Amino acid sequence: MPVSNHDVTIRRWAERDHHVVHWTELGEGGHFLAMERPDLLIGDLREFFRKVR
């Protein structure tokens, strides 16, 4: 799941309770990443699915 630089990162709680396969912290974009920077979101989704194929 991509996280923008404006969101509070909850990575340690996610990793405590789940097996995290892919985590991205982006240096740009805001809370509505899919609307603001869809190119970054799509790139991250493609990278994730390349890993789990």
Side-chain angles (χ1 to χ4, degrees):
M1 160 173 239
V3 180
S4 76
N5 60 346
H6 299 289
D7 287 331
V8 177
T9 302
I10 58 167
R11 185 175 186 160
R12 71 177 176 172
W13 290 291
E15 289 177 334
R16 181 189 69 195
D17 298 331
H18 306 282
H19 174 69
V20 177
V21 176
H22 181 84
W23 188 283
T24 304
E25 294 186 22
L26 301 170
E28 53 188 287
H31 184 72
F32 298 102
L33 186 63
M35 285 181 13
E36 297 171 11
R37 292 301 309 270
D39 56 321
L40 294 177
L41 178 61
I42 294 300
D44 188 63
L45 287 170
R46 288 179 175 156
E47 184 179 336
F48 166 76
F49 282 109
R50 275 193 291 275
K51 289 180 179 180
V52 297
R53 271 184 168 187

